[in-house]
Amino acid sequence: QLVESGGGSVQAGGSLRLSCSASGHTISAYCMGWFRQAPGNQREGLAAIDSDGATDYADSVKGRFTISKDSAKNTVYLQMNNLKPEDTAMYYCASNECPLVADLMAYEYNNWGQGTQVTVS
């Protein structure tokens, strides 16, 4: 089970840190990803981190978002800086066993959280 938290409303230029707490599996052994979906849009892969800690980012968030994990807390984070109105969406974390071929594609993941809303005005 994955549970996201940390969403909310923020002004443009602000920051938020999302958390994804995992239970039932150890994130250190899994590939983890962050996705978002705005109404009417497809789910977009933002960032991924594998079991070795290697990261990958979508061009749309590179330099602004940072994915990290704390294995002791079994939690993955997404630090989001310089937020823009177009970042408004429901944000989801996901997991699957490594390795993944395309770690920013939703179909690669088989375990999803319920999402947390981020609104940037």
Side-chain angles (χ1 to χ4, degrees):
Q1 182 183 9
L2 300 173
V3 178
E4 302 95 335
S5 61
S9 297
V10 64
Q11 291 188 338
S15 298
L16 284 173
R17 188 178 78 157
L18 305 183
S19 299
C20 173
S21 178
S23 60
H25 62 290
T26 304
I27 64 164
S28 59
Y30 277 69
C31 285
M32 306 293 296
W34 281 100
F35 293 77
R36 69 185 177 192
Q37 188 167 18
N41 290 355
Q42 291 186 335
R43 193 161 293 192
E44 176 189 11
L46 304 174
I49 187 166
D50 71 10
S51 55
D52 292 328
T55 58
D56 190 17
Y57 295 94
D59 289 342
S60 59
V61 303
K62 198 172 294 183
R64 297 191 299 127
F65 291 9
T66 303
I67 189 171
S68 62
K69 61 182 178 180
D70 185 334
S71 297
K73 295 182 179 180
N74 216 31
T75 299
V76 177
Y77 303 98
L78 185 68
Q79 177 67 43
M80 307 187 295
N81 297 329
N82 191 22
L83 284 162
K84 305 174 182 180
E86 52 263 43
D87 293 317
T88 295
M90 186 71 78
Y91 283 68
Y92 301 88
C93 71
S95 69
N96 200 354
E97 294 182 23
C98 297
L100 302 180
V101 175
D103 57 9
L104 296 180
M105 300 301 291
Y107 61 75
E108 289 275 21
Y109 295 85
N110 61 4
N111 191 29
W112 292 83
Q114 83 291 346
T116 185
Q117 177 68 37
V118 172
T119 302
V120 185
S121 59

